[in-house]
Amino acid sequence: MGNIIAWLVLGLIAGALAKAFYPGHQGGGIFATIGLGILGALIGGYLGQILLGSSAAAAASIGALSIGSIIFSVLGAMLLIFLWGLFTRRAV
């Protein structure tokens, strides 16, 4: 039960920070923000661990709450926002 709460808290923090830092308007409510943060933690942790071999990145991918895991989670969530914008952009 503690792991689920840690994932939710990490997701909320990372998703909210990613939306605050990323330029432009991103829609979605609290559940979309948490989902964005959780997926961002998985992606940021995975990529950070592969590219940098960082233990903080590994912590992000398992939902641990630390400064390093939050940073990698926010970076992963920002990457997801960017990719979502690419896929949903309408051609005029």
Side-chain angles (χ1 to χ4, degrees), residues 11-54:
L12 180 61
I13 292 169
L17 287 174
K19 283 185 173 185
F21 293 144
Y22 198 83
H25 175 71
Q26 296 82 36
I30 187 80
F31 295 113
T33 301
I34 291 172
L36 173 71
I38 290 172
L39 290 174
L42 290 172
I43 291 172
Y46 179 73
L47 291 176
Q49 191 174 10
I50 287 176
L51 298 174
L52 304 174
S54 172

